[in-house]
Amino acid sequence: MLVIVAPGQGAQSPGFLVPWLEDPTFATRLGWLSTVADIDLAEHGSVSDAETIRATQIAQPLLVATALVASLELFPHPADAFGRIGAVAGHSVGELAAAAGARAITAEQAMVLVRERGQAMARASAVTPTGMTAVLGGDRDEVLAVLERHGLTPANDNGPGQIVAAGTLDQLAALAGDPPVKARLIPLSVAGAFHTEHMAPAVGHVAGLATAVSVHDPRIPIISNADGHVLHEGREVLRRIVAQISSPVRWDLCLDTMADLGVTGILEMPPAGTLTGIAKRALKGVETFALKTPDQLDDARAFVDKHGEGSLINTTPTWRMVVSPAKGTFHLTEEARATLALNAGAEIGGVSSLRDRIPVTAVHGGQVVEWLVEDGDLVSPGQPLVRLHPDGVE
């Protein structure tokens, strides 16, 4: 099982695109996305200094474009990727790259959204002096309690011993004077308190634009930042991308889902290193590959050959599959059990875990071809539950 991941803001460094731009095809493709985003990505990825590319409105388009163009270097024929990648995920803004790579949205739509996202978040950051601090180590429950005491949000939960606190500069100063026991604090060089209520104005702006975006169901399952659920419906993917601007990133739950899926290899798109580093600590025994420079492409393809087994989603189905969003026990509703046809949006049941119950709906509806699980069965993330024949399809 192969999972491809795309990094978030902070992964960029001065000059990281220099070796990639030596390839004329890469440079041309990046130029196209630069035109769409109305920003000179080649300049910022090659000659701009650290302070310049730290700016939200520059860093975010730069990261998304890099991941998308590099994916075409890794998979010159995208259909090859659809048949071999088990799932994709992106940390924070990287989720836009993941959605475009899975073909839920186009690369051009992703670039317009990330341009507007970055600019809107920069404007929101200017309203109140805010920031973020990484809290490394310490007891998880105690760390969360201390953050709550200071009014801070755990904006990124990246796995064991890695939580990022976000809030006003006064709140972060109070945390520095009263840190959790055995925890180390590292102030982050970011423009504001991302993934908190301070970003609410940016959510409204991007949400308005998103209503005009045409989406498709992803050809590869997408693991959501919000809760680690496996997504297979395009409109839900876009809704969550918008909502995560002001909501915490639960990368820890994404890692849990990767483990539940049986991941054996994780490949991180450039500028790589952050997410594979986290995976090495959190998912023992899972191989990782950080794609940083183009001279690694042959080795990266060999890594794909070793771990790629095929997507959970058929790329050209004449029927639709409803899959489980998470691990748990599936319970079928009486209404769904008694019918041979499901209306679009009908709830077919729910997946119950120790944390909660997640409703499962037949987003598109259709004729029931076969149930693939029974009431009370244990299910895994992405496991097919029912196969439907879409209404109006011969």
Side-chain angles (χ1 to χ4, degrees):
M1 164 67 76
L2 173 67
V3 174
I4 304 288
V5 295
Q9 195 165 341
Q12 73 280 2
S13 61
F16 78 96
L17 277 184
V18 169
W20 293 96
L21 290 168
E22 293 175 2
D23 178 354
T25 300
F26 186 101
T28 299
R29 287 169 171 163
L30 189 73
W32 167 247
L33 296 185
S34 295
T35 300
V36 176
D38 194 23
I39 181 173
D40 191 338
L41 299 171
E43 178 180 350
H44 290 307
S46 58
V47 300
S48 292
D49 61 21
E51 185 63 22
T52 299
I53 62 175
R54 184 179 76 91
T56 305
Q57 64 271 29
I58 293 174
Q60 293 190 10
L62 184 59
L63 289 165
V64 171
T66 298
L68 290 176
V69 179
S71 69
L72 290 175
E73 297 284 308
L74 181 61
F75 298 103
H77 305 289
D80 294 342
F82 301 147
R84 306 173 74 185
I85 301 173
V88 295
H91 191 284
S92 186
V93 73
E95 204 163 49
L96 272 165
R103 294 300 191 267
I105 57 177
T106 67
E108 290 77 10
Q109 289 169 334
M111 292 310 299
V112 171
L113 287 172
V114 75
R115 178 193 70 201
E116 296 299 317
R117 181 188 194 270
Q119 292 176 358
M121 291 175 71
R123 291 193 296 270
S125 297
V127 174
T128 303
T130 58
M132 305 177 81
T133 295
V135 184
L136 305 180
D139 177 78
R140 175 185 171 80
D141 290 338
E142 182 180 348
V143 169
L144 294 176
V146 171
L147 297 191
E148 183 177 6
R149 183 165 71 241
H150 293 300
L152 292 161
T153 300
N156 296 161
D157 192 334
N158 292 328
Q162 297 190 57
I163 293 177
V164 177
T168 67
L169 296 186
D170 288 342
Q171 291 169 330
L172 291 172
L175 173 67
D178 177 30
V181 176
K182 297 182 179 179
R184 183 162 57 102
L185 305 184
I186 301 178
L188 300 182
S189 181
V190 295
F194 304 146
H195 303 292
T196 72
E197 62 184 5
H198 295 285
M199 294 296 109
V203 174
H205 176 69
V206 179
L209 294 172
T211 60
V213 175
S214 58
V215 297
H216 301 278
D217 291 344
R219 296 190 180 186
I220 303 169
I222 297 173
I223 304 173
S224 171
N225 274 190
D227 46 24
H229 289 178
V230 174
L231 306 182
H232 63 103
E233 195 271 314
R235 184 54 59 181
E236 179 67 5
V237 170
L238 185 59
R239 185 192 71 77
R240 285 169 174 251
I241 284 174
V242 173
Q244 57 113 291
I245 294 172
S246 64
S247 300
V249 171
R250 294 301 307 270
W251 193 251
D252 60 323
L253 299 181
C254 292
L255 293 170
D256 289 346
T257 296
M258 292 179 201
D260 292 338
L261 288 169
V263 61
T264 61
I266 297 174
L267 190 151
E268 183 179 1
M269 302 307 295
T274 301
L275 300 182
T276 46
I278 292 172
K280 286 178 181 178
R281 294 185 290 270
L283 298 175
K284 301 297 184 182
V286 174
E287 291 190 62
T288 62
F289 193 104
L291 179 57
K292 299 179 180 181
T293 56
D295 60 2
Q296 296 176 288
L297 282 168
D298 285 341
D299 289 339
R301 294 186 186 107
F303 186 86
V304 171
D305 289 340
K306 179 178 180 180
H307 295 282
E309 290 187 348
S311 171
L312 299 171
I313 296 177
N314 190 318
T315 59
T316 55
T318 56
W319 35 263
R320 291 191 181 276
M321 195 83 78
V322 179
V323 305
S324 174
K327 177 175 68 175
T329 303
F330 177 69
H331 295 292
L332 182 65
T333 66
E334 290 298 327
E335 293 80 2
R337 189 199 310 267
T339 186
L340 295 177
L342 296 170
N343 293 325
E347 183 172 330
I348 67 169
V351 176
S352 299
S353 67
L354 294 177
R355 288 198 302 265
D356 50 19
R357 177 188 181 277
I358 305 163
V360 180
T361 59
V363 174
H364 302 285
Q367 302 292 317
V368 176
V369 178
E370 62 177 332
W371 286 99
L372 302 169
V373 294
E374 296 183 356
D375 184 62
D377 280 356
L378 294 175
V379 295
S380 301
Q383 180 176 333
L385 304 175
V386 60
R387 187 159 50 138
L388 303 175
H389 191 279
D391 292 330
V393 176
E394 298 298 332

